[in-house]
Amino acid sequence: MTFKKDFKQQMVPEWEKDYMDYKGLKRILKEIKSIKQATHNRSLQHRLRLERAFSGLHLHGSNHQREGDIEDQVIQVKTLEQDGSKQLYKTDFQKRHEEGGEAEARLFEKLDEELNKVNAFYKDQVEAAKHEVTLLSKQVEALVALRVKVKSPDTGSKQIISSPEETMDQNHQQKYSMVGPEVDSVQQANRNTHHEEQAEAHNNYDRRDPLEILEHVKVDNVLQSPISTIKKAFTDSSDNELSFSKEELRKIEEQLRLVFVEFYQKLLHLKDYSFMNLSAFSKIMKKYEKRTSRAAASAAYMTAVDNSYLGSSDEVNFLLENVESTFIRNFTHSNHKKGRKLLRQNTKRERHSITFFTGFFSGCFVALLVATILRITSQQLMKKQEGTFYMENIFPLYSLFGYITLHMLMYAANTYFWKRYRVNYPFLFGFRPGTELDYREVFLLTTGHAVVALLCFLINLQLEMNPKSRHYKTASELVPLSLVVLVLLITFCPLNIIYYSSRFFFIRCLFRCLCAPLFTVTLPDFFLADQLTSQFQAFRSFELYICYYGLGEHSRRQKKCHSRGFYNVQYFVVGIIPYWFRLAQSMRQFYEERDTNRAFNGLNYLSTIVAMVFRTTFELKKGRSWKVLALITSALAVLQNTYWDIVKDWGLLRRHSKNPYLRDKLVVPHKSIYFIAMVMDTVLRISWMQLVFEMDWSPLHKVAMITVTSCLEIIRRGIWNFFRLENEHINNVGNYRAFKSVPHPFSYHDEKNDKDE
């Protein structure tokens, strides 16, 4: 892999614009190379003409070649001070008069610009990390005090605890006192400054009474469960005092452990950021030296890079050791192996078996699909009464698995394009590092699910339509139910098999959707709820299973579910449940954020619920008035949701953006893709209204139209997924949100007072 590809692959996507512009610098180097090549060719031609004119005479090297060896005056790197502390680098190129000198001067101007940008960003991030360390030190101090109080409830003021940094600081001071005189003065100055700050902070809370510490501490209760939300609604909102219980201590330890892990990952990314940018500068200067033979100029500039804050600061390494030692001592009982395993991400390894089984299941699916089509067409089942009866009554049971398979296929395509265009979907969804499914794994699950579903459908079709297997009627009737049970068992299996972490993540998000108003809404929650709104027909198919097997319709082999009042009530409720999830989530978001956009988004889902009610009423009762109401409410819902999709969710149709009628930043380089997506979203939204226009359709045609319309809605949702997450990723990049924000469990009274002031 070339360095250019490796450099881009190692970038933190949210920091991408703050990395060195390696591509732009290489473009200037190519220009310098072409100029040097043209100059070299002209000098060769001139030399050949001289040899022909003065044949027999010895020609000495030109003065230009001899001057190329004198490079001590090529560049002069100056360091300027800005705002008292910010360093800026400016390079004077002294060979502008030479051919190609203007291009070389532009190269050094670009290098200065990139070095200043990278240096400033890195310093800001390190300063933010040092501030975070100070806050974490207070959190650990409060945790240690709480542990002492929980283990010894009767602890008096005589028992004192040491600062959580005491032992650690002693170790690091001993380490740095052993540094020899060869250490760079800049590094030593940084270390001394840091130790002075640490010593001052250490003296402020060297030895504290745990009761004194806990008097100034409160627990920040985050509403993470329905019970805590209900308690919060009926109790005093300021009731967040410590209870000194073991359960409270366990929750605080778990939350603080997550804070440490996320902060440690940020420090590792900062270290990689420094290393990759220094490597990029080194690569560029080596290429410059190769193109121009100015070794001294290259060495002089690299010296300036090495002496900059980016190259000389050792703060991140110190913070990494600091955090690691604190975490190991306080959370793993000084077990270094376990502590490092918890702090460092699991690297995801690609397995060839996934590719093999994906190909195997894909081949099986194609073979089964061909066999099913041949089975239906060869016996002309659609022209027979029993075949029409089967497709009308049994096919809707299997359509549930078709909807799920198509949705999984769209998600596999989403993950492929997110990865291709560097949309950081694992971070946005909050997947634990190393557990996210990539497109190959999602496609493997899709093909496996499709093979099992299609195989069961073919077996059921064979048993139903073959006269020789009439005595297997009972077995054939239980095939769809067995398939549902199998899928549910795999999904909720508690064993660590078949992507356990991903299944658990899905179940947790599904549970949060079911309890929508009682949980704080996160992106995975409302993203899953949006997927469920496109699966409303799958909900109704699942309800059909309840009627078919629970109410005994399978034994009579007649579809009379709609003749039951209880089923019709469920038919109404099940159709609006997915939209209720999103409406409840929008209400919760509006309550917490007081953002009017959340309220308007809730109105969109409310209008869709009203449209679904009138559509369902028209489907059951018919009548012109119901049809008119269904048309009006459906058209209004389509207009509202289409506008929200394109303008709010995708962030497009901005008239004054750099890309007219799109947005300033685009991930996909081809702008036409966005216009095509907007047109497709509008057309597929309108297709959702087709069922309202039904005339005197036969039952078979109605089943076909419902299936096709539902599949188009799932395809529309797949298109929406990509651009919705792309817009979220761009917003994160603009705000530099590259890491998950985990709230601290403790808050200090003085901190709150500072915020109020």
Side-chain angles (χ1 to χ4, degrees):
M1 182 183 294
T2 62
F3 178 78
K4 178 182 176 181
K5 292 182 179 179
D6 186 49
F7 184 61
K8 188 172 183 179
Q9 188 175 2
Q10 295 294 329
M11 285 182 179
V12 178
E14 288 75 13
W15 294 350
E16 188 169 351
K17 67 178 183 179
D18 288 290
Y19 280 80
M20 191 189 82
D21 185 10
Y22 188 76
K23 186 177 180 180
L25 289 167
K26 281 194 68 176
R27 196 181 301 116
I28 300 176
L29 282 173
K30 286 182 180 179
E31 182 182 347
I32 294 174
K33 181 182 179 182
S34 61
I35 294 173
K36 294 293 182 182
Q37 189 67 37
T39 305
H40 180 66
N41 291 338
R42 286 197 298 270
S43 64
L44 283 179
Q45 292 176 359
H46 180 65
R47 185 183 181 90
L48 287 174
R49 285 196 297 269
L50 289 177
E51 286 181 350
R52 290 175 186 151
F54 303 99
S55 58
L57 297 176
H58 179 67
L59 295 177
H60 297 282
S62 65
N63 291 333
H64 174 73
Q65 290 176 328
R66 286 196 299 269
E67 289 173 1
D69 296 332
I70 306 173
E71 300 177 12
D72 52 338
Q73 297 296 326
V74 174
I75 64 169
Q76 184 179 4
V77 184
K78 299 178 181 178
T79 304
L80 308 176
E81 294 288 338
Q82 187 180 33
D83 299 334
S85 59
K86 189 175 181 180
Q87 286 187 335
L88 294 179
Y89 293 89
K90 182 176 176 58
T91 304
D92 292 332
F93 184 72
Q94 321 232 340
K95 300 289 184 180
R96 286 178 179 268
H97 61 279
E98 294 184 0
E99 192 163 3
E102 289 296 330
E104 292 185 54
R106 278 192 289 110
L107 175 69
F108 282 103
E109 289 175 3
K110 180 71 172 175
L111 282 168
D112 291 339
E113 179 185 343
E114 296 303 313
L115 178 58
N116 291 329
K117 177 185 73 175
V118 170
N119 213 34
F121 178 79
Y122 183 69
K123 188 171 184 178
D124 290 342
Q125 293 297 320
V126 172
E127 291 298 324
K130 289 164 68 176
H131 176 68
E132 182 73 11
V133 165
T134 304
L135 297 179
L136 283 179
S137 298
K138 292 186 176 182
Q139 295 291 314
V140 174
E141 183 187 35
L143 175 66
V144 173
L146 181 61
R147 282 175 175 169
V148 172
K149 181 63 179 177
V150 171
K151 292 179 181 179
S152 304
D154 299 327
T155 301
S157 58
K158 294 182 180 179
Q159 183 170 352
I160 342 179
I161 61 171
S162 300
S163 162
E165 293 182 345
E166 182 176 2
T167 308
M168 177 181 54
D169 284 344
Q170 291 175 357
N171 294 338
H172 281 284
Q173 288 169 2
Q174 182 180 1
K175 173 182 175 182
Y176 286 124
S177 64
M178 297 169 60
V179 178
E182 298 83 10
V183 177
D184 193 329
S185 59
V186 178
Q187 294 184 10
Q188 192 63 42
N190 288 336
R191 290 172 181 170
N192 293 337
T193 302
H194 185 78
H195 280 299
E196 289 174 3
E197 294 174 355
Q198 292 285 75
E200 182 180 355
H202 177 72
N203 292 331
N204 291 334
Y205 56 91
D206 189 7
R207 292 185 176 276
R208 305 273 298 278
D209 177 16
L211 291 179
E212 181 186 349
I213 295 173
L214 297 177
E215 283 177 359
H216 300 280
V217 171
K218 288 190 176 183
V219 180
D220 288 336
N221 289 320
V222 182
L223 308 184
Q224 293 293 343
S225 68
I227 297 176
S228 62
T229 303
I230 295 172
K231 285 183 178 179
K232 195 75 172 180
F234 293 100
T235 58
D236 184 9
S237 60
S238 62
D239 185 18
N240 55 357
E241 299 291 341
L242 288 166
S243 62
F244 306 114
S245 64
K246 291 185 178 180
E247 180 64 21
E248 182 183 53
L249 176 61
R250 185 190 63 80
K251 291 181 179 180
I252 289 174
E253 287 178 338
E254 183 179 354
Q255 187 175 352
L256 196 54
R257 187 183 296 112
L258 290 176
V259 173
F260 266 88
V261 170
E262 289 300 323
F263 181 62
Y264 191 81
Q265 296 304 319
K266 179 179 181 179
L267 292 177
L268 287 178
H269 279 91
L270 268 177
K271 185 177 180 180
D272 291 340
Y273 175 87
S274 172
F275 174 77
M276 294 305 297
N277 280 287
L278 288 173
S279 300
F281 277 108
S282 177
K283 289 283 184 182
I284 289 295
M285 296 317 298
K286 285 181 180 178
K287 291 180 183 294
Y288 172 74
E289 179 183 345
K290 183 178 178 181
R291 303 284 189 274
T292 62
S293 300
R294 301 189 193 275
S298 176
Y301 199 85
M302 279 309 302
T303 301
V305 172
D306 292 336
N307 290 332
S308 67
Y309 188 84
L310 179 73
S312 63
S313 174
D314 201 27
E315 297 284 350
V316 173
N317 288 329
F318 176 82
L319 293 176
L320 278 168
E321 296 174 5
N322 190 328
V323 171
E324 185 174 311
S325 62
T326 305
F327 182 84
I328 291 172
R329 185 173 61 255
N330 289 281
F331 294 99
T332 62
H333 303 288
S334 299
N335 187 332
H336 289 260
K337 184 177 180 181
K338 182 180 178 181
R340 292 191 181 99
K341 185 178 180 181
L342 291 173
L343 285 172
R344 294 171 186 176
Q345 292 182 354
N346 296 324
T347 55
K348 193 174 180 66
R349 295 181 298 176
E350 294 186 358
R351 294 179 293 175
H352 297 292
S353 58
I354 294 176
T355 305
F356 170 78
F357 282 109
T358 301
F360 175 74
F361 286 137
S362 300
C364 292
F365 173 75
V366 172
L368 289 171
L369 183 63
V370 171
T372 304
I373 295 173
L374 292 177
R375 181 74 176 84
I376 294 174
T377 56
S378 63
Q379 297 187 3
Q380 299 181 345
L381 295 179
M382 294 298 98
K383 296 181 180 180
K384 298 179 182 180
Q385 184 178 1
E386 57 181 0
T388 304
F389 177 82
Y390 177 82
M391 295 302 292
E392 179 186 349
N393 293 276
I394 306 300
F395 179 76
L397 298 176
Y398 286 98
S399 62
L400 168 66
F401 304 101
Y403 300 145
I404 296 174
T405 300
L406 180 60
H407 213 135
M408 293 173 67
L409 183 63
M410 295 303 298
Y411 181 71
N414 288 148
T415 53
Y416 170 76
F417 286 108
W418 286 331
K419 185 175 181 180
R420 178 177 178 180
Y421 293 110
R422 295 182 56 76
V423 175
N424 195 2
Y425 73 93
F427 166 70
L428 294 174
F429 286 139
F431 294 133
R432 191 157 50 87
T435 63
E436 72 277 4
L437 300 182
D438 63 11
Y439 67 93
R440 297 187 309 125
E441 292 167 314
V442 178
F443 190 64
L444 171 64
L445 293 174
T446 304
T447 53
H449 180 270
V451 166
V452 174
L454 198 55
L455 181 62
C456 290
F457 177 74
L458 188 59
I459 292 173
N460 187 267
L461 185 65
Q462 176 68 22
L463 294 176
E464 288 283 346
M465 297 293 106
N466 191 351
K468 298 180 180 180
S469 58
R470 295 291 183 184
H471 54 284
Y472 292 112
K473 288 295 182 184
T474 304
S476 66
E477 291 164 359
L478 295 177
V479 172
L481 182 62
S482 302
L483 183 56
V484 170
V485 172
L486 176 63
V487 172
L488 291 177
L489 285 176
I490 293 176
T491 303
F492 293 94
C493 178
L495 302 178
N496 190 10
I497 57 174
I498 313 179
Y499 303 113
Y500 170 78
S501 59
S502 298
R503 288 190 290 108
F504 180 78
F505 184 86
F506 170 77
I507 294 169
R508 184 180 61 185
C509 291
L510 184 61
F511 177 73
R512 292 169 69 94
C513 289
L514 295 173
C515 306
L518 304 178
F519 276 106
T520 299
V521 182
T522 60
L523 188 143
D525 300 334
F526 74 73
F527 192 86
L528 177 60
D530 277 319
Q531 310 309 304
L532 297 179
T533 59
S534 296
Q535 288 284 4
F536 70 93
Q537 200 60 46
F539 277 78
R540 286 180 169 174
S541 297
F542 194 78
E543 184 198 10
L544 188 61
Y545 275 88
I546 299 175
C547 171
Y548 194 73
Y549 292 101
L551 302 180
E553 293 295 335
H554 73 284
S555 60
R556 287 182 287 275
R557 308 186 64 75
Q558 295 179 5
K559 186 180 179 182
K560 294 184 178 180
C561 291
H562 285 298
S563 63
R564 299 174 179 268
F566 176 72
Y567 177 83
N568 289 334
V569 173
Q570 283 188 324
Y571 197 70
F572 269 96
V573 174
V574 168
I576 66 175
I577 280 179
Y579 302 101
W580 159 252
F581 293 158
R582 284 298 288 123
L583 174 60
Q585 289 176 341
S586 299
M587 291 165 55
R588 176 63 185 258
Q589 289 177 307
F590 175 69
Y591 172 77
E592 291 183 340
E593 302 172 14
R594 302 299 179 185
D595 185 359
T596 54
N597 283 326
R598 305 298 188 185
F600 285 122
N601 195 22
L603 289 177
N604 291 333
Y605 292 103
L606 181 61
S607 66
T608 307
I609 290 175
V610 174
M612 287 296 298
V613 169
F614 283 114
R615 283 175 56 141
T616 306
T617 305
F618 168 66
E619 182 182 351
L620 297 177
K621 295 185 177 182
K622 306 303 180 184
R624 183 178 297 275
S625 59
W626 291 115
K627 184 174 184 178
V628 172
L629 289 173
L631 279 173
I632 293 174
T633 54
S634 297
L636 181 62
V638 165
L639 288 174
Q640 286 180 311
N641 287 291
T642 303
Y643 169 81
W644 200 268
D645 285 348
I646 297 174
V647 177
K648 297 296 183 179
D649 289 341
W650 295 357
L652 302 178
L653 289 182
R654 306 296 171 89
R655 293 181 58 187
H656 302 293
S657 67
K658 297 178 183 177
N659 306 295
Y661 296 101
L662 297 178
R663 67 170 102 86
D664 291 339
K665 296 179 181 179
L666 302 175
V667 169
V668 181
H670 306 290
K671 298 178 183 178
S672 58
I673 298 295
Y674 293 90
F675 292 104
I676 293 172
M678 286 189 283
V679 172
M680 289 187 66
D681 184 79
T682 305
V683 172
L684 293 176
R685 278 283 188 188
I686 295 174
S687 70
W688 181 73
M689 297 176 57
Q690 291 303 309
L691 295 179
V692 184
F693 295 99
E694 67 175 21
M695 298 298 185
D696 295 326
W697 287 342
S698 65
L700 186 60
H701 288 165
K702 184 178 179 181
V703 170
M705 282 302 300
I706 290 175
T707 304
V708 171
T709 304
S710 301
C711 290
L712 290 176
E713 169 60 19
I714 293 171
I715 292 172
R716 187 202 66 79
R717 181 59 63 184
I719 297 171
W720 179 90
N721 289 345
F722 175 81
F723 295 101
R724 176 65 183 89
L725 218 64
E726 178 211 16
N727 190 36
E728 188 72 21
H729 169 75
I730 288 174
N731 292 334
N732 273 358
V733 170
N735 295 319
Y736 301 105
R737 289 197 298 261
F739 307 96
K740 184 167 65 176
S741 177
V742 182
H744 292 179
F746 298 108
S747 63
Y748 282 75
H749 294 268
D750 52 352
E751 291 177 2
K752 287 190 174 182
N753 294 334
D754 293 341
K755 290 179 181 178
D756 294 337
E757 291 174 2

